[in-house]
């Protein structure tokens, strides 16, 4: 079992920055991939960024060059979001893959507005 808690969401202006963090607890040594998803109102949930082991992180085309995912330690992952756009407004979810199960956090709201 893995539990995930996100933090760092909030309100930012277009062009601004936010940093999301996610801390896992439980069987964190078994986590092989950590990712961020987001879901905007009326839209499908989408994979934003993912990182696993020593591999190269992957990003959605819509955030490449603006967002950076990083593993800050065992069971922790962050998402640095720069040059934010209104269309980045969504609930952001942290996920962790472990033992063939994808665990989800409860999400944190990110709102980009002037």
């Amino acid at each position: 079992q893995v539990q995930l808690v996100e933090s760092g969401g909030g309100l930012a202006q277009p062009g601004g920055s936010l940093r999301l963090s996610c801390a896992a607890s439980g069987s964190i040594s078994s986590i092989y991939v950590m990712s961020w998803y987001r879901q905007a109102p009326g839209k499908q949930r989408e994979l934003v960024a993912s990182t696993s082991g020593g591999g190269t992180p992957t990003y959605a085309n819509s955030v490449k060059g603006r967002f950076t995912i990083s593993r800050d330690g065992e069971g922790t992952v962050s998402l640095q979001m720069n040059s934010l756009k209104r269309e980045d407004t969504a609930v952001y979810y942290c996920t962790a893959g472990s033992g063939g199960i994808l665990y989800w956090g409860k999400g944190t709201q990110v709102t980009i507005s002037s």
Side-chain angles (χ1 to χ4, degrees), residues 13-110:
Q13 293 187 342
S17 299
L18 283 173
R19 185 178 181 89
L20 305 182
S21 297
C22 174
S25 60
S27 301
I28 60 174
S29 62
S30 64
I31 295 172
Y32 52 84
V33 60
M34 297 191 78
S35 306
W36 289 93
Y37 285 74
R38 68 184 181 186
Q39 187 166 21
K43 294 188 176 181
Q44 288 188 332
R45 192 171 293 182
E46 67 169 336
L47 176 61
V48 176
S50 187
T51 180
S52 60
T56 301
T58 58
Y59 298 92
N61 287 334
S62 57
V63 306
K64 278 182 182 177
R66 300 189 298 120
F67 291 11
T68 303
I69 188 171
S70 61
R71 295 286 290 268
D72 302 321
E74 189 175 35
T76 63
V77 66
S78 61
L79 186 68
Q80 178 66 42
M81 305 185 295
N82 299 328
S83 302
L84 286 162
K85 304 176 180 180
R86 288 182 173 81
E87 51 264 42
D88 294 320
T89 295
V91 177
Y92 284 71
Y93 298 90
C94 175
T95 68
S98 172
I101 299 172
L102 188 62
Y103 294 91
W104 292 77
K106 293 183 178 181
T108 184
Q109 177 70 46
V110 170

